[in-house]
Amino acid sequence: MADLSVNFAGIRAPNPFWLASAPPTNSGMQVHRAFEHGWGGAVWKTIGAPVLNISNRYGGLSLGGQRLVAINNVELISDRPLEVNLREIAEVKRMWPDRALIVSAMVDADPKAWREIVMQIEDTGADGIELNYGCPQGMSERGMGAAVGQVPEMCQLNTHWVTSVTRLPVIVKLTPNVTHITDPAHAALAGGAHALSLINTINSVMKVDLDTLLVTPSIGGQATHGGYAGPAVKPIALHMLSELMCDPTVRASGVPICGMGGIQTWRDAAEFLLLGASALQVCTAAMHYGYRIIEDFVDGLSNWMDDKGFATLADVTGRSLPQMSSFGGLDLGYQAVARIDPDKCIQCDLCYVACNDTAHQCIDLYSPEGVKVNPGFNVRDGGKQVAQGRATPVVREPDCVGCALCANVCPVDGCIEMVSVPSGRPSVTWDQLTATRPAVTQEWAAMEAYRKEAGIEIH
């Protein structure tokens, strides 16, 4: 059985699955129960400045019958008394010495405030501190949370105030509400951060009820922006994680990254690990299904690692990163085409419609007799007969640009595959063209000449 234990910036845990700083880690009772279920660690719900929360704090997004594809929250940091949180943190750590217990903190941008909260956290025996520079709602309007994470200078200064006074590992939690995630990451490293975590929630307004015209969540007829999380944000989180893991400064620092943002299954978790995360945090999935999902996470990841021959998490972490590149580094000579398996095709024509209306018009429909036909009822082509005969889509490969839209809209797994084919074109990247033949990348006439030379036809 694969070894799932982690050593993250000196913080040890039996597995990489930690509950994120959020409602699931709001109290000692909750974290205790989570550890009983098998979670490897927990980041205590953010403690710090005094707050008052509002009522009706969540808005959920449902798509295609699936509930909570995403959640929007306007909840602030812990509203429980500070001394209660600190006492319970100490109690939980004493009871669970083998689990990672990190405390998330957020206070005013004041070195005295940071020193005071850091000393209090150290006294609990917690394993580390996570600086919450991510929450975009409420606290940011008071100059905390994302308001710090969005200004690199503030990110560096606040981090330095903490790292200069504590002996504990300091994790800086980054906000995704920035243009370049590397800027606050560099600032955190300059401030002495021992590790990074991302992503926190994304600024959002969930929806408007078309019957009541109220914005959701409605707080007494009023609304505000909140933090967006859940499965829908996973691609954004993976992008930002890979961006950091490919950044020379971050890589040179050697600091580990704790990935989060839409982890709903062990498969999601494996993707974060493959793109460089060393530990994982989960929130929305636990809020949806409860602490028990840890069993699926651990069993699923362990079995997958066994199947792949990975003995430890170190064998997995970052394994897919070498594939990451900029657009300018991609091979312009590579060619893929769509191929439809007629034995799996259910003749729904979704691929035809998508290609014909919004892509490159390279899928044709053929009747059972092998006659090319148009879709639907069309008296000129015997449409009634076509409808009864269930036309089959066929890709005209010479015209297919390999965009893969058809494969993505097809409702049958494995029916449409993208297949590599020889293109006959030179293997070259945009960066190479820019360096060796700059006119091609700057002038349309030169581009047209190059296309003719390379045998590239655009239709």
Side-chain angles (χ1 to χ4, degrees), residues 192-214:
H194 305 104
L196 303 172
S197 62
L198 81 168
I199 61 173
N200 205 309
T201 55
I202 300 170
N203 238 333
S204 60
V205 171
M206 184 54 85
K207 61 183 176 183
V208 180
D209 188 303
L210 296 186
D211 292 324
T212 65
L213 310 189
L214 291 173

PDB file of all heavy atoms in Angstrom, residues 192-214:
ATOM      1  N   GLY A 192       9.738  35.883   3.942  1.00  0.00           N
ATOM      2  CA  GLY A 192      10.216  34.763   4.742  1.00  0.00           C
ATOM      3  C   GLY A 192       9.255  33.599   4.867  1.00  0.00           C
ATOM      4  O   GLY A 192       9.439  32.731   5.744  1.00  0.00           O
ATOM      5  N   ALA A 193       8.235  33.529   4.024  1.00  0.00           N
ATOM      6  CA  ALA A 193       7.264  32.428   4.099  1.00  0.00           C
ATOM      7  C   ALA A 193       7.965  31.084   3.918  1.00  0.00           C
ATOM      8  O   ALA A 193       8.871  30.945   3.103  1.00  0.00           O
ATOM      9  CB  ALA A 193       6.188  32.600   3.028  1.00  0.00           C
ATOM     10  N   HIS A 194       7.517  30.100   4.698  1.00  0.00           N
ATOM     11  CA  HIS A 194       8.084  28.753   4.603  1.00  0.00           C
ATOM     12  C   HIS A 194       7.294  27.874   3.643  1.00  0.00           C
ATOM     13  O   HIS A 194       7.747  26.780   3.275  1.00  0.00           O
ATOM     14  CB  HIS A 194       8.091  28.107   5.980  1.00  0.00           C
ATOM     15  CG  HIS A 194       8.804  28.916   7.019  1.00  0.00           C
ATOM     16  ND1 HIS A 194       8.141  29.650   7.983  1.00  0.00           N
ATOM     17  CD2 HIS A 194      10.127  29.161   7.205  1.00  0.00           C
ATOM     18  CE1 HIS A 194       9.028  30.275   8.746  1.00  0.00           C
ATOM     19  NE2 HIS A 194      10.233  30.001   8.290  1.00  0.00           N
ATOM     20  N   ALA A 195       6.102  28.310   3.284  1.00  0.00           N
ATOM     21  CA  ALA A 195       5.261  27.543   2.372  1.00  0.00           C
ATOM     22  C   ALA A 195       4.167  28.460   1.836  1.00  0.00           C
ATOM     23  O   ALA A 195       3.905  29.536   2.386  1.00  0.00           O
ATOM     24  CB  ALA A 195       4.638  26.341   3.078  1.00  0.00           C
ATOM     25  N   LEU A 196       3.530  28.017   0.756  1.00  0.00           N
ATOM     26  CA  LEU A 196       2.424  28.764   0.157  1.00  0.00           C
ATOM     27  C   LEU A 196       1.207  27.855   0.079  1.00  0.00           C
ATOM     28  O   LEU A 196       1.344  26.624   0.020  1.00  0.00           O
ATOM     29  CB  LEU A 196       2.793  29.247  -1.253  1.00  0.00           C
ATOM     30  CG  LEU A 196       4.041  30.117  -1.382  1.00  0.00           C
ATOM     31  CD1 LEU A 196       4.368  30.341  -2.861  1.00  0.00           C
ATOM     32  CD2 LEU A 196       3.845  31.461  -0.676  1.00  0.00           C
ATOM     33  N   SER A 197       0.040  28.470   0.056  1.00  0.00           N
ATOM     34  CA  SER A 197      -1.184  27.697  -0.200  1.00  0.00           C
ATOM     35  C   SER A 197      -2.079  28.528  -1.107  1.00  0.00           C
ATOM     36  O   SER A 197      -2.077  29.750  -1.072  1.00  0.00           O
ATOM     37  CB  SER A 197      -1.901  27.343   1.108  1.00  0.00           C
ATOM     38  OG  SER A 197      -2.309  28.508   1.814  1.00  0.00           O
ATOM     39  N   LEU A 198      -2.833  27.828  -1.974  1.00  0.00           N
ATOM     40  CA  LEU A 198      -3.748  28.482  -2.889  1.00  0.00           C
ATOM     41  C   LEU A 198      -4.671  27.441  -3.495  1.00  0.00           C
ATOM     42  O   LEU A 198      -4.295  26.260  -3.509  1.00  0.00           O
ATOM     43  CB  LEU A 198      -2.989  29.243  -3.992  1.00  0.00           C
ATOM     44  CG  LEU A 198      -2.449  28.487  -5.216  1.00  0.00           C
ATOM     45  CD1 LEU A 198      -2.009  29.476  -6.266  1.00  0.00           C
ATOM     46  CD2 LEU A 198      -1.333  27.526  -4.883  1.00  0.00           C
ATOM     47  N   ILE A 199      -5.918  27.846  -3.944  1.00  0.00           N
ATOM     48  CA  ILE A 199      -6.350  29.223  -3.993  1.00  0.00           C
ATOM     49  C   ILE A 199      -7.400  29.466  -2.906  1.00  0.00           C
ATOM     50  O   ILE A 199      -8.072  28.531  -2.467  1.00  0.00           O
ATOM     51  CB  ILE A 199      -6.972  29.566  -5.369  1.00  0.00           C
ATOM     52  CG1 ILE A 199      -8.202  28.726  -5.662  1.00  0.00           C
ATOM     53  CG2 ILE A 199      -5.982  29.473  -6.456  1.00  0.00           C
ATOM     54  CD1 ILE A 199      -8.958  29.152  -6.937  1.00  0.00           C
ATOM     55  N   ASN A 200      -7.506  30.710  -2.478  1.00  0.00           N
ATOM     56  CA  ASN A 200      -8.643  31.085  -1.661  1.00  0.00           C
ATOM     57  C   ASN A 200      -9.816  31.351  -2.597  1.00  0.00           C
ATOM     58  O   ASN A 200      -9.742  31.091  -3.801  1.00  0.00           O
ATOM     59  CB  ASN A 200      -8.303  32.319  -0.825  1.00  0.00           C
ATOM     60  CG  ASN A 200      -9.152  32.412   0.432  1.00  0.00           C
ATOM     61  OD1 ASN A 200     -10.376  32.327   0.355  1.00  0.00           O
ATOM     62  ND2 ASN A 200      -8.523  32.586   1.581  1.00  0.00           N
ATOM     63  N   THR A 201     -10.882  31.888  -2.080  1.00  0.00           N
ATOM     64  CA  THR A 201     -12.097  32.041  -2.885  1.00  0.00           C
ATOM     65  C   THR A 201     -12.004  33.209  -3.871  1.00  0.00           C
ATOM     66  O   THR A 201     -11.212  34.133  -3.696  1.00  0.00           O
ATOM     67  CB  THR A 201     -13.311  32.245  -1.978  1.00  0.00           C
ATOM     68  OG1 THR A 201     -13.061  33.355  -1.108  1.00  0.00           O
ATOM     69  CG2 THR A 201     -13.571  31.011  -1.147  1.00  0.00           C
ATOM     70  N   ILE A 202     -12.853  33.149  -4.893  1.00  0.00           N
ATOM     71  CA  ILE A 202     -12.848  34.131  -5.977  1.00  0.00           C
ATOM     72  C   ILE A 202     -14.034  35.078  -5.790  1.00  0.00           C
ATOM     73  O   ILE A 202     -15.157  34.648  -5.515  1.00  0.00           O
ATOM     74  CB  ILE A 202     -12.959  33.408  -7.340  1.00  0.00           C
ATOM     75  CG1 ILE A 202     -11.778  32.452  -7.512  1.00  0.00           C
ATOM     76  CG2 ILE A 202     -13.006  34.415  -8.481  1.00  0.00           C
ATOM     77  CD1 ILE A 202     -11.934  31.520  -8.700  1.00  0.00           C
ATOM     78  N   ASN A 203     -13.775  36.354  -5.950  1.00  0.00           N
ATOM     79  CA  ASN A 203     -14.847  37.346  -5.811  1.00  0.00           C
ATOM     80  C   ASN A 203     -15.999  37.048  -6.763  1.00  0.00           C
ATOM     81  O   ASN A 203     -15.772  36.757  -7.949  1.00  0.00           O
ATOM     82  CB  ASN A 203     -14.294  38.743  -6.102  1.00  0.00           C
ATOM     83  CG  ASN A 203     -14.491  39.659  -4.924  1.00  0.00           C
ATOM     84  OD1 ASN A 203     -15.412  39.481  -4.119  1.00  0.00           O
ATOM     85  ND2 ASN A 203     -13.628  40.652  -4.797  1.00  0.00           N
ATOM     86  N   SER A 204     -17.210  37.123  -6.260  1.00  0.00           N
ATOM     87  CA  SER A 204     -18.325  36.715  -7.114  1.00  0.00           C
ATOM     88  C   SER A 204     -19.658  37.220  -6.580  1.00  0.00           C
ATOM     89  O   SER A 204     -19.789  37.546  -5.401  1.00  0.00           O
ATOM     90  CB  SER A 204     -18.391  35.181  -7.175  1.00  0.00           C
ATOM     91  OG  SER A 204     -18.573  34.656  -5.872  1.00  0.00           O
ATOM     92  N   VAL A 205     -20.628  37.276  -7.478  1.00  0.00           N
ATOM     93  CA  VAL A 205     -22.040  37.426  -7.122  1.00  0.00           C
ATOM     94  C   VAL A 205     -22.733  36.210  -7.718  1.00  0.00           C
ATOM     95  O   VAL A 205     -22.654  35.978  -8.922  1.00  0.00           O
ATOM     96  CB  VAL A 205     -22.639  38.717  -7.697  1.00  0.00           C
ATOM     97  CG1 VAL A 205     -24.150  38.740  -7.507  1.00  0.00           C
ATOM     98  CG2 VAL A 205     -22.003  39.937  -7.044  1.00  0.00           C
ATOM     99  N   MET A 206     -23.401  35.402  -6.892  1.00  0.00           N
ATOM    100  CA  MET A 206     -23.845  34.085  -7.338  1.00  0.00           C
ATOM    101  C   MET A 206     -24.962  34.140  -8.363  1.00  0.00           C
ATOM    102  O   MET A 206     -24.866  33.593  -9.450  1.00  0.00           O
ATOM    103  CB  MET A 206     -24.273  33.241  -6.132  1.00  0.00           C
ATOM    104  CG  MET A 206     -24.663  31.819  -6.488  1.00  0.00           C
ATOM    105  SD  MET A 206     -23.361  30.968  -7.412  1.00  0.00           S
ATOM    106  CE  MET A 206     -22.337  30.365  -6.078  1.00  0.00           C
ATOM    107  N   LYS A 207     -26.089  34.810  -8.050  1.00  0.00           N
ATOM    108  CA  LYS A 207     -27.199  34.806  -9.005  1.00  0.00           C
ATOM    109  C   LYS A 207     -28.292  35.761  -8.544  1.00  0.00           C
ATOM    110  O   LYS A 207     -28.285  36.254  -7.417  1.00  0.00           O
ATOM    111  CB  LYS A 207     -27.783  33.396  -9.137  1.00  0.00           C
ATOM    112  CG  LYS A 207     -28.351  32.831  -7.849  1.00  0.00           C
ATOM    113  CD  LYS A 207     -28.846  31.399  -8.067  1.00  0.00           C
ATOM    114  CE  LYS A 207     -29.339  30.791  -6.761  1.00  0.00           C
ATOM    115  NZ  LYS A 207     -29.761  29.387  -6.921  1.00  0.00           N
ATOM    116  N   VAL A 208     -29.251  35.980  -9.455  1.00  0.00           N
ATOM    117  CA  VAL A 208     -30.427  36.785  -9.150  1.00  0.00           C
ATOM    118  C   VAL A 208     -31.661  35.901  -9.337  1.00  0.00           C
ATOM    119  O   VAL A 208     -31.812  35.257 -10.390  1.00  0.00           O
ATOM    120  CB  VAL A 208     -30.519  38.014 -10.065  1.00  0.00           C
ATOM    121  CG1 VAL A 208     -31.761  38.833  -9.722  1.00  0.00           C
ATOM    122  CG2 VAL A 208     -29.265  38.869  -9.972  1.00  0.00           C
ATOM    123  N   ASP A 209     -32.514  35.839  -8.331  1.00  0.00           N
ATOM    124  CA  ASP A 209     -33.746  35.046  -8.410  1.00  0.00           C
ATOM    125  C   ASP A 209     -34.726  35.762  -9.335  1.00  0.00           C
ATOM    126  O   ASP A 209     -35.132  36.907  -9.071  1.00  0.00           O
ATOM    127  CB  ASP A 209     -34.350  34.887  -7.009  1.00  0.00           C
ATOM    128  CG  ASP A 209     -35.526  33.918  -7.010  1.00  0.00           C
ATOM    129  OD1 ASP A 209     -36.495  34.154  -7.772  1.00  0.00           O
ATOM    130  OD2 ASP A 209     -35.499  32.943  -6.247  1.00  0.00           O
ATOM    131  N   LEU A 210     -35.110  35.098 -10.426  1.00  0.00           N
ATOM    132  CA  LEU A 210     -35.968  35.756 -11.419  1.00  0.00           C
ATOM    133  C   LEU A 210     -37.414  35.904 -10.962  1.00  0.00           C
ATOM    134  O   LEU A 210     -38.189  36.635 -11.580  1.00  0.00           O
ATOM    135  CB  LEU A 210     -35.915  34.984 -12.741  1.00  0.00           C
ATOM    136  CG  LEU A 210     -34.541  34.959 -13.418  1.00  0.00           C
ATOM    137  CD1 LEU A 210     -34.635  34.288 -14.786  1.00  0.00           C
ATOM    138  CD2 LEU A 210     -33.961  36.369 -13.562  1.00  0.00           C
ATOM    139  N   ASP A 211     -37.819  35.219  -9.902  1.00  0.00           N
ATOM    140  CA  ASP A 211     -39.170  35.399  -9.364  1.00  0.00           C
ATOM    141  C   ASP A 211     -39.214  36.571  -8.387  1.00  0.00           C
ATOM    142  O   ASP A 211     -40.091  37.419  -8.456  1.00  0.00           O
ATOM    143  CB  ASP A 211     -39.643  34.114  -8.669  1.00  0.00           C
ATOM    144  CG  ASP A 211     -39.856  32.975  -9.661  1.00  0.00           C
ATOM    145  OD1 ASP A 211     -40.316  33.265 -10.789  1.00  0.00           O
ATOM    146  OD2 ASP A 211     -39.548  31.827  -9.326  1.00  0.00           O
ATOM    147  N   THR A 212     -38.252  36.596  -7.477  1.00  0.00           N
ATOM    148  CA  THR A 212     -38.258  37.654  -6.445  1.00  0.00           C
ATOM    149  C   THR A 212     -37.395  38.847  -6.830  1.00  0.00           C
ATOM    150  O   THR A 212     -37.483  39.897  -6.207  1.00  0.00           O
ATOM    151  CB  THR A 212     -37.725  37.081  -5.129  1.00  0.00           C
ATOM    152  OG1 THR A 212     -36.342  36.704  -5.298  1.00  0.00           O
ATOM    153  CG2 THR A 212     -38.520  35.853  -4.694  1.00  0.00           C
ATOM    154  N   LEU A 213     -36.539  38.663  -7.829  1.00  0.00           N
ATOM    155  CA  LEU A 213     -35.565  39.670  -8.267  1.00  0.00           C
ATOM    156  C   LEU A 213     -34.501  39.941  -7.207  1.00  0.00           C
ATOM    157  O   LEU A 213     -33.766  40.932  -7.285  1.00  0.00           O
ATOM    158  CB  LEU A 213     -36.257  40.984  -8.666  1.00  0.00           C
ATOM    159  CG  LEU A 213     -37.428  40.875  -9.645  1.00  0.00           C
ATOM    160  CD1 LEU A 213     -37.855  42.282 -10.098  1.00  0.00           C
ATOM    161  CD2 LEU A 213     -37.058  40.035 -10.866  1.00  0.00           C
ATOM    162  N   LEU A 214     -34.407  39.075  -6.211  1.00  0.00           N
ATOM    163  CA  LEU A 214     -33.423  39.250  -5.152  1.00  0.00           C
ATOM    164  C   LEU A 214     -32.102  38.595  -5.534  1.00  0.00           C
ATOM    165  O   LEU A 214     -32.068  37.505  -6.121  1.00  0.00           O
ATOM    166  CB  LEU A 214     -33.926  38.628  -3.848  1.00  0.00           C
ATOM    167  CG  LEU A 214     -35.114  39.332  -3.173  1.00  0.00           C
ATOM    168  CD1 LEU A 214     -35.603  38.506  -1.987  1.00  0.00           C
ATOM    169  CD2 LEU A 214     -34.713  40.736  -2.720  1.00  0.00           C
TER     170      LEU A 214
END
